[in-house]
């Protein structure tokens, strides 16, 4: 069983559309939407939820105002400025470190589990899918990503499936790291813009940091062939294998509006290119 | 006035809007790139960096001569960043959140704090615009403390424009907290709408007024507009898909350079925002 | 000698779980594979980071001499090393079979972690 993660560095490069297309093209696969901050894969996969569970990401401090003597020790020592002048804990600022709980002379502060979101196991026309919703504004997305990935892997192992396709998060931080550590292969989707190149370099550096094999896909390559050439040059010099280039094609947005992947809509410039990229990747993953 | 530019979905044109807004206001504006994982404002603004400061997180270091292996540090640490094991105590700095609990609560005062680098804050000038950006060290996961360090550079006498990270979780909240207004940049596609809804919900909890800019407004469908209408979110500006903008962006040119006719729209944007939040605009052209 | 083995179940006939920090059970047995304790590791299974570190502490507190598992990440490896616990890796089959291999000196001990840090 192999685990393949699609990331992008920069947002909006077509990562999810491409990951969903891979899901359609792959056989015997499990999908994991690890872009839990702004999950979009479900829009194309149209999952039918068969199991759901609450996600408790961590603990937060809660002050019992009946016990609180307003001494201020908690507030003075909190490094996250999470305790207000009226001794109310700001949930969005509290890291759950429990320092206040240990310092409070009145034992007025307890650490309580907080509901951060929900996660789901669903059926889709692409096979099983594990996905999640983080409650907007909540933290611990890295932890939820780890959970989604683990569940997807469990399903793959139980049902003897060949591959887990992970739609990763943008950026290079906590949720991205969480969606790539220990996977077999990472695909970085970029676009031929200065920002695309810049962010791809950082994403590639991150993947390298964790010693994971990497392939590059240049999406919308024809919107700026000069920049595409520059990205290809960078890939060559950095020993990053180019899995292929996908041309700009309005059919991608059109199919998204219909909540389908572009490869399901039949042949076309983008669709044909994605199929080629997938075949190429498949060879690399199993070689 | 502090205006944050956020987006939910990445790649919708957040940085394009933030940089053009800063450029039209010239000396009256300050831009702070809080997308510390992938800061991109510098690509469009090409600033001269004048100062680079490392941002550190305090992490534990144990003096084993003083340590009595009492186990308190391991008991209080919520992140497994310090663990008494066998006849020693080991710290795992990359797991540490820098809360200070272990060093403060160690009965022997055997733990002191040493810095772990999270990344840098760079300051400089992009023409007449004051420029600040955070850049996280690759492999580092903790963005919020670095974002907070970027925000300490806010000059409240200017119009401070914060370019927020995409998404709707902690780094976004850390960025927009304390802002007077949030511009949400989106595109009229199912993905754009889905992520806009999430981001609006996240920011709503903070009670900050918001408005929407629709980029590539002639693609996709009308669902984003319907959502704004139903939610009472003011539609601040629409930018149709234009080859000149896309080509300019690809090469690293700001929107108002590729399409100078947009300059007055961006000036009007600050006036509209000032009207909505009811304060005189510091950046107003009037 | 006390030996800890990561396990899918509570009995010595259970299959080894190759994961260290996130195995559902950790069995502590003696040289003759008599079960001393079956530790329920479920609180750790869903831990975000630091699962391996906590599992290492759990077995170190029980004065274990040797760990048998499949993969061991860098943080857990550091912690186990500090506790003087030898790490036998790439183990599979049942717990009993693994203990047999220890007797026959067929277990290879890791001198470095054989897994990436997991989040």
């Amino acid at each position: 069983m192999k685990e393949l993660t699609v990331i992008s560095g920069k947002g909006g490069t077509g990562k999810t559309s491409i990951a969903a297309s891979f899901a359609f093209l792959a056989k015997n696969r499990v999908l994991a939407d690890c872009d839990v901050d702004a999950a979009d894969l479900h829009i194309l996969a149209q999952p039918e939820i068969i199991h759901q569970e609450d996600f408790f990401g961590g603990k937060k401090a809660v002050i019992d105002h009946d016990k609180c003597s307003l001494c201020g020790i908690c507030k003075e020592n909190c490094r996250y400025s999470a305790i207000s002048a009226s001794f109310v804990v700001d949930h969005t600022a509290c890291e759950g470190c429990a320092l206040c709980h240990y310092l409070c002379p009145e034992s007025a502060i307890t650490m309580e589990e907080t509901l951060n979101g929900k996660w789901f196991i669903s059926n889709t026309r692409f096979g099983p899918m594990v996905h999640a919703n983080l409650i907007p504004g909540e933290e611990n997305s890295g932890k939820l990503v780890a959970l989604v990935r683990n569940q997807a892997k469990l399903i793959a192992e139980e049902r003897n499936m060949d591959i887990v396709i992970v739609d990763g998060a943008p950026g290079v931080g906590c949720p991205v790291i969480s969606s790539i550590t220990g996977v077999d292969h990472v695909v970085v989707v970029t676009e031929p813009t200065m920002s695309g190149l810049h962010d791809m370099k950082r994403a590639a550096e991150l993947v390298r940091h964790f010693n994971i094999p990497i392939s590059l896909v240049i999406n919308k390559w024809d919107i700026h062939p000069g920049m595409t050439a520059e990205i290809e040059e960078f890939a060559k010099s950095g020993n990053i294998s180019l899995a292929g280039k996908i041309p700009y094609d309005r059919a991608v947005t059109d199919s998204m509006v219909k909540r389908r992947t572009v490869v399901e809509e039949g042949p076309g410039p983008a669709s044909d290119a994605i199929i080629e990229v997938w075949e190429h990747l498949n060879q690399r993953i199993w070689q | 006035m502090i205006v944050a530019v956020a987006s939910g979905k990445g790649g919708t044109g957040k940085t394009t809007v933030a940089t053009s807004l800063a450029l039209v206001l010239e000396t009256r504006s300050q831009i702070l790139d809080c997308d510390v994982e992938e800061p991109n404002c510098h690509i469009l603004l090409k600033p001269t960096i004048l100062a680079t400061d490392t941002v550190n997180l305090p992490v534990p270091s144990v003096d084993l001569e003083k340590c009595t292996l009492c186990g308190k540090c391991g008991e209080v640490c919520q992140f497994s960043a310090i663990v008494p094991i066998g006849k020693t105590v080991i710290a795992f700095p990359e797991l540490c959140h820098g809360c200070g609990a272990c060093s403060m609560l160690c009965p022997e005062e055997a733990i002191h704090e040493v810095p772990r680098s999270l990344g840098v804050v760079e300051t400089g000038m992009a023409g007449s615009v004051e420029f600040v950006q955070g850049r996280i060290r690759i492999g580092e996961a903790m963005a919020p403390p670095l974002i907070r360090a970027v925000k300490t550079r806010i000059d409240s006498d200017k119009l401070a424009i914060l370019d927020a990270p995409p998404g709707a979780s902690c780094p976004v909240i850390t960025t927009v907290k304390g802002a007077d207004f949030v511009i949400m940049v989106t595109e009229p596609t199912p993905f754009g709408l889905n992520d806009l809804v999430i981001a609006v919900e996240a920011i709503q909890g903070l009670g900050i007024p918001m408005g929407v800019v629709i980029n590539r407004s002639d693609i996709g469908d009308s669902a984003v507009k319907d959502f704004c209408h139903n939610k009472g979110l003011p539609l601040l500006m629409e930018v149709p898909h234009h080859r000149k903008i896309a080509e300019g962006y690809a090469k690293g040119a700001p929107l108002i350079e590729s399409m100078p006719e947009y300059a007055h729209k961006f000036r009007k944007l600050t006036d509209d925002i000032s009207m909505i939040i009811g304060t005189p605009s510091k950046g107003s052209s009037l | 000698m006390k030996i800890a083995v990561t396990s899918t179940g509570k009995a010595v006939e259970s299959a080894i779980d190759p994961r260290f920090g996130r195995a559902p059970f950790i069995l502590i047995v003696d040289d003759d594979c008599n079960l001393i304790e079956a530790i329920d590791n479920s609180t750790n299974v869903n831990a975000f980071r630091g699962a391996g570190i906590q599992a290492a502490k759990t077995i170190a507190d029980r004065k274990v001499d040797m760990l048998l598992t499949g993969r061991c990440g860098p943080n857990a490896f550091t912690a186990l090393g500090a506790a003087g616990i030898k790490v036998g890796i790439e183990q599979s089959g049942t717990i009993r079979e693994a203990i047999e291999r220890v007797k026959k000196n067929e277990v290879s001990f890791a001198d470095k972690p054989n897994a990436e840090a997991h989040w």
Side-chain angles (χ1 to χ4, degrees):
Chain A
M1 192 264 293
K2 301 282 184 185
E3 211 180 349
L4 169 79
T5 299
V6 185
I7 62 167
S8 65
K10 178 169 160 45
T13 57
K15 166 179 67 65
T16 301
S17 295
I18 290 171
S21 297
F22 290 169
F24 173 76
L25 297 169
K27 300 281 174 294
N28 214 3
R29 67 297 206 199
V30 182
L31 297 189
D33 190 351
C34 287
D35 190 356
V36 297
D37 264 40
D40 286 335
L41 191 58
H42 67 275
I43 293 171
L44 301 180
Q46 298 289 304
E48 180 204 328
I49 295 167
I50 50 174
H51 177 86
Q52 63 170 300
E53 265 180 55
D54 287 339
F55 166 67
F56 294 94
K59 293 178 173 177
K60 302 259 175 173
V62 177
I63 302 178
D64 179 345
H65 289 266
D66 291 336
K67 287 188 186 167
C68 174
S69 64
L70 309 177
C71 71
I73 289 174
C74 56
K75 193 171 164 311
E76 278 160 34
N77 288 288
C78 176
R79 292 188 177 171
Y80 312 104
S81 310
I83 299 170
S84 74
S86 52
F87 297 99
V88 174
V89 177
D90 175 352
H91 258 217
T92 60
C94 178
E95 287 270 328
C97 73
L99 176 61
C100 57
H101 162 73
Y102 287 105
L103 289 177
C104 177
E106 314 296 335
S107 301
I109 306 178
T110 49
M111 300 303 295
E112 293 181 9
E113 290 270 10
T114 47
L115 180 68
N116 284 163
K118 273 191 184 342
W119 62 272
F120 314 93
I121 298 174
S122 296
N123 285 329
T124 75
R125 64 187 185 285
F126 310 131
M129 167 167 163
V130 184
H131 50 125
N133 282 339
L134 198 66
I135 293 175
E138 280 296 341
E139 60 175 325
N140 280 312
S141 54
K143 188 172 177 177
L144 186 53
V145 166
L147 191 154
V148 167
R149 261 187 66 196
N150 278 336
Q151 290 296 328
K153 255 168 62 181
L154 283 178
I155 293 173
E157 277 162 13
E158 266 167 29
R159 305 190 197 172
N160 245 324
M161 308 193 91
D162 296 333
I163 188 165
V164 179
I165 296 175
V166 180
D167 185 8
V172 292
C174 174
V176 191
I177 295 174
S178 199
S179 53
I180 65 168
T181 48
V183 304
D184 299 287
H185 204 96
V186 171
V187 177
V188 179
V189 178
T190 190
E191 61 177 29
T193 63
M194 292 272 280
S195 318
L197 173 62
H198 171 264
D199 294 358
M200 179 274 285
K201 283 182 182 171
R202 282 172 69 82
E205 201 184 321
L206 180 74
V207 179
R208 286 270 177 75
H209 183 92
F210 290 103
N211 285 319
I212 306 165
I214 176 172
S215 292
L216 183 69
V217 172
I218 308 175
N219 193 19
K220 302 178 255 191
W221 74 268
D222 50 343
I223 60 169
H224 198 301
M227 191 62 68
T228 296
E230 209 170 303
I231 293 173
E232 286 182 78
E233 200 45 52
F234 169 79
K236 210 178 284 172
S237 67
N239 250 333
I240 297 171
S241 138
L242 182 70
K245 297 185 284 186
I246 301 164
Y248 177 76
D249 185 349
R250 260 192 116 111
V252 177
T253 309
D254 293 343
S255 64
M256 189 205 292
V257 171
K258 287 194 246 170
R259 286 156 171 73
R260 285 162 66 82
T261 64
V262 68
V263 284
E264 287 170 277
E265 298 287 278
S271 174
D272 298 350
I274 292 173
I275 292 170
E276 218 170 286
V277 167
W278 174 247
E279 281 163 3
H280 192 108
L281 274 176
N282 236 332
Q283 276 176 10
R284 283 212 70 198
I285 298 166
W286 294 101
Q287 132 201 122
Chain B
M1 183 162 78
I2 304 169
V3 175
V5 186
S7 71
K9 176 167 159 50
T12 55
K14 179 171 54 64
T15 303
T16 297
V17 169
T19 51
S20 284
L21 197 55
L23 286 172
V24 297
L25 296 172
E26 299 175 335
T27 55
R28 288 160 304 186
S29 74
Q30 179 198 28
I31 188 148
L32 301 103
D33 198 336
C34 296
D35 188 358
V36 299
E37 293 180 32
E38 300 286 18
N40 281 347
C41 289
H42 70 98
I43 293 170
L44 300 176
L45 295 175
K46 301 164 193 75
T48 309
I49 299 297
L50 301 170
T52 301
D53 298 304
T54 303
V55 177
N56 295 312
L57 193 73
V59 301
S61 170
V62 184
D63 180 350
L64 289 168
E65 305 242 307
K66 287 189 190 166
C67 174
T68 59
L69 297 174
C70 73
K72 185 77 180 172
C73 52
E75 175 201 326
V76 300
C77 180
Q78 305 291 302
F79 311 107
S80 302
I82 188 162
V83 185
I85 189 163
K87 292 187 171 51
T88 188
V89 177
I90 327 175
F92 294 95
E94 78 281 11
L95 299 182
C96 178
H97 287 225
C99 70
C102 57
S103 56
M104 246 179 274
L105 296 167
C106 173
E108 311 300 330
E109 295 184 5
I111 302 173
H112 71 281
E113 295 183 307
V114 293
R116 160 181 127 218
S117 155
L118 297 176
V120 292
V121 173
E122 294 166 314
T123 46
M125 293 300 289
S128 54
V129 176
E130 197 186 326
F131 178 90
V132 183
Q133 77 173 1
R135 194 191 281 273
I136 204 166
R137 185 171 54 78
I138 294 293
E140 171 59 55
M142 242 162 271
L146 185 54
I147 295 170
R148 283 193 285 270
V150 172
K151 288 178 68 181
T152 59
R153 314 296 173 97
I154 289 176
D155 177 354
S156 48
D157 288 336
K158 291 189 173 176
L159 180 94
I161 299 161
L162 310 178
D163 190 2
S169 65
C170 32
V172 182
I173 301 300
T174 306
T175 302
V176 304
K177 205 180 261 184
D180 299 297
F181 191 84
V182 180
I183 300 173
M184 302 288 317
V185 183
T186 189
E187 59 179 35
T189 62
F191 286 5
L193 173 65
N194 183 63
D195 300 351
L196 174 68
V197 171
I198 295 167
V200 165
E201 212 179 302
I203 293 164
Q204 233 164 16
L206 302 173
I208 305 171
M210 282 175 274
V212 175
V213 170
I214 303 182
N215 195 15
R216 294 187 279 268
S217 55
D218 47 348
I219 63 164
D221 55 21
S222 67
V224 166
K225 271 192 190 171
D226 298 342
F227 170 77
C228 293
H229 183 79
N230 293 337
K231 272 267 169 187
L233 284 172
L235 184 55
L236 301 167
M237 184 159 78
E238 289 181 58
V239 184
H241 176 73
H242 204 294
R243 222 188 146 84
K244 265 207 267 181
I245 300 177
E247 278 173 1
Y249 178 79
K251 284 182 279 192
L255 190 151
I256 60 156
E257 235 167 66
S258 315
M259 301 274 277
E261 56 270 43
Y262 269 82
H264 80 275
K265 291 195 183 184
F266 277 96
R267 280 188 207 103
K268 186 173 174 294
L269 187 61
T270 55
D271 294 342
D272 290 346
I273 292 169
S274 304
M275 283 251 288
I276 294 169
I277 62 177
T279 55
S281 163
K282 289 200 173 93
S284 169
S285 47
L286 297 172
Chain C
M1 186 167 67
K2 272 180 160 182
I3 304 171
V5 195
T6 52
S7 174
T8 54
K10 285 189 249 183
V12 292
E13 304 304 336
S14 311
I16 289 177
D17 191 307
R19 301 165 301 173
F20 175 46
R22 292 189 166 84
F25 295 94
I26 298 172
L27 305 193
I28 313 259
V29 297
D30 65 15
D31 308 51
D32 291 318
C33 206
N34 297 308
L35 184 65
I36 301 170
E37 188 185 357
I39 304 165
D40 181 350
N41 194 41
S42 56
T43 50
N44 238 344
V45 169
N46 290 320
F48 177 31
R49 306 176 68 184
I53 298 169
Q54 288 305 328
K57 180 163 172 54
T58 302
I59 63 169
D61 288 349
R62 286 162 171 81
K63 307 265 186 285
V64 159
D65 305 287
M66 182 192 292
L67 165 71
L68 300 176
T69 188
R71 298 184 295 267
C72 181
N75 287 344
F77 192 80
T78 305
L80 291 162
I85 297 172
K86 290 204 284 185
V87 187
I89 50 162
E90 281 156 22
Q91 294 299 304
S92 58
T94 67
I95 282 78
R96 189 178 294 283
E97 286 163 8
I99 299 299
E100 285 303 315
R101 283 194 290 270
V102 173
K103 280 184 190 164
K104 293 185 204 152
N105 267 328
E106 287 173 6
V107 173
S108 57
F109 292 98
D111 52 6
K112 59 178 192 300
N114 67 337
E116 284 298 320
H118 241 286
W119 291 51

